[in-house]
């Protein structure tokens, strides 16, 4: 075994010298690194620690909370409040902004503490997603409006995946790097430097049980994939659905493909299924930094102007040429007089 390994701390220190100087990023990400290790530990202990099953409560989205949703949320809030780097946080599991009294930092943390909750009880991959914003100069306090910045304003974003290995994947706007947790020494090690999404792919991920609610451009794209070598694409496609966005994005970063949770007839009233601030924006930042593309169907996700903290949005992301094709199908549909659902 080689000991010539780069740890996450060493990587952040090196980045500090190269780009940022002040050390702010190093401490912002140090809090999150510890948080993810603790959540990983709880996910791993599973039934032994009584961590499976429902909590018996509902979150602000009207969803049943699992025990691990609640626990992961508490770990995030507690561990990232200590250092005072974050003036306030917003979580998928909390109705309102959580202000950190006495914080000195001017950063905001947004997170989905446990993504893919329906996988917890069946021992399939889950994850955590986070996004970091800066409080604009001249702004005092941390009302909800300060959080309502488009995704292009993110200063860092990342996710942890608790899968066959625990990994932390992050961007500070200079590419995407992946670190694997060495469980024996409790350290994240750089294993996936400069992750890049192939521009072409022949693998898609979408919940096909919702096919009858899809918009025509989405149906057109999937129909063409399914037609394989006999269809207009002239090649066979493969399909995956893990039901955890973290795992889908991770697969796409490793070998390309497309992930879609589009606006459809069933979810159009609420704007889609996935949450803009906790899921779509951080993942779109990562995907773009790795050379991929992320759209709502018609627009670039990172340019969507948020109007509410818990806003939902259509998500189509992954290999550039496939996502561009899907965007074009939406454009052609609208040009022919088709009406967008949302
Ligand atoms: P969460 O567990 O944070 O609520 O997110 C689950 C999301 C996303 O990660 C996943 O892609 C999708 O919901 C799964 O949806 P289906 O239930 O339609 O499979
Ligand atoms: Mn989620
Ligand atoms: Mn969640």
């Amino acid at each position: 075994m080689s000991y010539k390994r780069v740890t996450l701390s060493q990587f952040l220190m090196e980045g500090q010298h190269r780009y940022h100087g002040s050390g702010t990023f190093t401490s912002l990400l140090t809090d999150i690194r510890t948080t993810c290790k603790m959540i990983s530990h709880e996910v791993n202990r599973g039934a032994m620690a009584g961590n499976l099953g429902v909590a018996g409560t509902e979150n602000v989205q009207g969803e049943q909370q699992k025990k691990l949703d609640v626990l992961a949320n508490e770990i995030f809030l507690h561990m990232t409040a200590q250092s005072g780097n974050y003036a306030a946080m917003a979580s998928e599991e909390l109705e309102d902004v959580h202000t950190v009294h006495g914080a000195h930092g001017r950063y905001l943390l947004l997170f989905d503490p446990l993504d893919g909750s329906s996988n917890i009880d069946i021992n399939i991959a889950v994850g955590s997603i986070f996004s970091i914003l800066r409080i604009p100069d001249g702004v005092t306090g941390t009302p909800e409006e300060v959080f309502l910045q488009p995704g292009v304003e993110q200063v860092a974003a990342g996710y942890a995946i608790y899968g066959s290995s625990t990994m932390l994947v992050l961007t500070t706007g200079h590419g995407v790097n992946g670190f694997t947790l060495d469980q024996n020494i409790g350290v994240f090690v750089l294993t996936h430097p400069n992750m890049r999404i192939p521009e072409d792919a022949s693998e898609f991920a979408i919940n096909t049980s919702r096919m009858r609610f899809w918009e025509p451009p989405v149906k057109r794209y999937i129909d063409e994939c399914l037609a394989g070598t006999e269809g207009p694409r002239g090649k066979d496609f493969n399909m995956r659905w893990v039901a955890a966005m973290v795992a889908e994005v991770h697969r796409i970063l490793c070998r390309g493909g497309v992930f879609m949770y589009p606006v459809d007839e069933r979810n159009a009233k609420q704007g889609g299924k996935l949450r803009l601030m906790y899921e779509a924006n951080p993942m779109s930042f990562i995907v773009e930094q790795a050379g991929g593309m992320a759209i709502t169907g018609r627009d670039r996700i990172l340019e969507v102007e948020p109007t509410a903290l818990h806003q939902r949005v259509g998500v189509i992301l992954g290999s550039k040429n496939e996502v561009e094709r899907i965007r074009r199908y939406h454009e052609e549909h609208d040009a022919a007089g088709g009406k967008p659902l949302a």
Side-chain angles (χ1 to χ4, degrees):
M1 186 165 111
S2 167
Y3 288 92
K4 290 180 187 158
R5 306 195 296 184
V6 177
T7 67
L8 177 56
S9 326
Q10 290 165 341
F11 178 87
L12 291 172
M13 294 295 279
E14 202 264 327
Q16 180 181 324
H17 293 134
R18 198 183 311 171
Y19 306 115
H20 315 298
S22 69
T24 310
F25 276 85
T26 307
S27 44
L28 287 175
L29 293 165
T30 295
D31 293 343
I32 290 171
R33 173 185 65 185
T34 314
T35 302
C36 295
K37 278 193 224 172
M38 291 178 81
I39 297 174
S40 173
H41 181 60
E42 295 298 343
V43 168
N44 222 256
R45 294 199 303 156
M48 286 187 301
N51 283 344
L52 306 191
V54 293
T57 44
E58 257 190 16
N59 67 8
V60 53
Q61 333 266 342
E63 298 159 343
Q64 274 266 354
Q65 287 181 303
K66 296 281 170 74
K67 284 184 195 165
L68 270 175
D69 286 322
V70 176
L71 188 57
N73 189 56
E74 281 168 6
I75 294 174
F76 249 103
L77 288 178
H78 182 73
M79 294 307 296
T80 57
Q82 301 289 322
S83 62
N85 286 319
Y86 297 104
M89 293 118 187
S91 163
E92 181 190 276
E93 302 297 336
L94 293 177
E95 185 158 5
D96 300 315
V97 163
H98 177 89
T99 303
V100 181
H101 297 289
H104 55 79
R106 293 197 51 85
Y107 289 88
L108 304 171
L109 177 66
L110 300 93
F111 54 86
D112 174 357
L114 214 288
D115 175 66
S117 304
S118 72
N119 286 351
I120 294 168
D121 296 346
I122 55 174
N123 202 355
I124 295 183
V126 291
S128 304
I129 311 172
F130 66 90
S131 160
I132 302 174
L133 293 167
R134 209 193 314 261
I135 301 176
D137 290 342
V139 172
T140 47
T142 53
E144 182 174 323
E145 298 79 69
V146 191
F147 283 81
L148 303 183
Q149 305 180 30
V152 286
E153 298 296 340
Q154 292 172 102
V155 295
Y159 64 81
I161 178 167
Y162 315 114
S164 45
S165 301
T166 289
M167 284 189 67
L168 193 61
V169 173
L170 49 95
T171 185
T172 55
H174 303 283
V176 179
N177 290 282
F179 303 82
T180 305
L181 180 61
D182 183 328
Q183 305 273 3
N184 289 322
I185 52 173
V187 168
F188 280 104
V189 177
L190 179 64
T191 48
H192 295 58
N194 192 24
M195 298 175 91
R196 301 294 299 169
I197 300 175
E199 292 193 350
D200 295 297
S202 44
E203 191 164 64
F204 65 87
I206 190 166
N207 186 342
T208 49
S209 70
R210 306 178 70 89
M211 188 181 283
R212 67 190 189 283
F213 309 123
W214 291 346
E215 279 197 272
V218 172
K219 179 126 192 354
R220 174 180 170 193
Y221 176 77
I222 299 296
D223 280 348
E224 290 180 1
C225 293
L226 295 175
T229 46
E230 287 85 50
R233 301 299 307 274
K235 61 175 182 175
D236 288 331
F237 280 74
N238 195 14
M239 197 202 84
R240 288 287 185 276
W241 187 250
V242 191
M245 186 192 201
V246 163
E248 318 277 6
V249 169
H250 190 69
R251 184 186 60 252
I252 289 170
L253 280 167
C254 292
R255 68 180 190 207
V258 184
F259 165 77
M260 309 170 78
Y261 215 118
V263 172
D264 63 29
E265 279 171 19
R266 273 277 169 96
N267 66 30
K269 239 193 346 237
Q270 53 187 38
K273 153 112 184 187
L274 298 175
R275 281 124 307 201
L276 175 64
M277 308 301 284
Y278 319 110
E279 295 170 320
N281 270 344
M283 290 311 206
S284 299
F285 188 20
I286 292 168
V287 164
E288 286 198 4
Q289 281 292 315
M293 188 170 163
I295 57 170
T296 62
R298 292 165 175 89
D299 305 309
R300 183 182 177 211
I301 290 175
L302 292 181
E303 289 176 10
V304 172
E305 287 288 341
T307 53
L309 209 48
H310 298 292
Q311 183 171 342
R312 295 177 191 248
V313 72
V315 173
I316 296 169
L317 58 77
S319 292
K320 204 181 213 154
N321 292 338
E322 292 300 311
V323 178
E324 173 52 32
R325 175 184 287 269
I326 302 167
R327 193 203 60 74
R328 176 164 59 80
Y329 287 3
H330 282 81
E331 194 175 71
E332 287 173 8
H333 166 260
D334 296 354
K339 290 265 174 297
L341 284 172

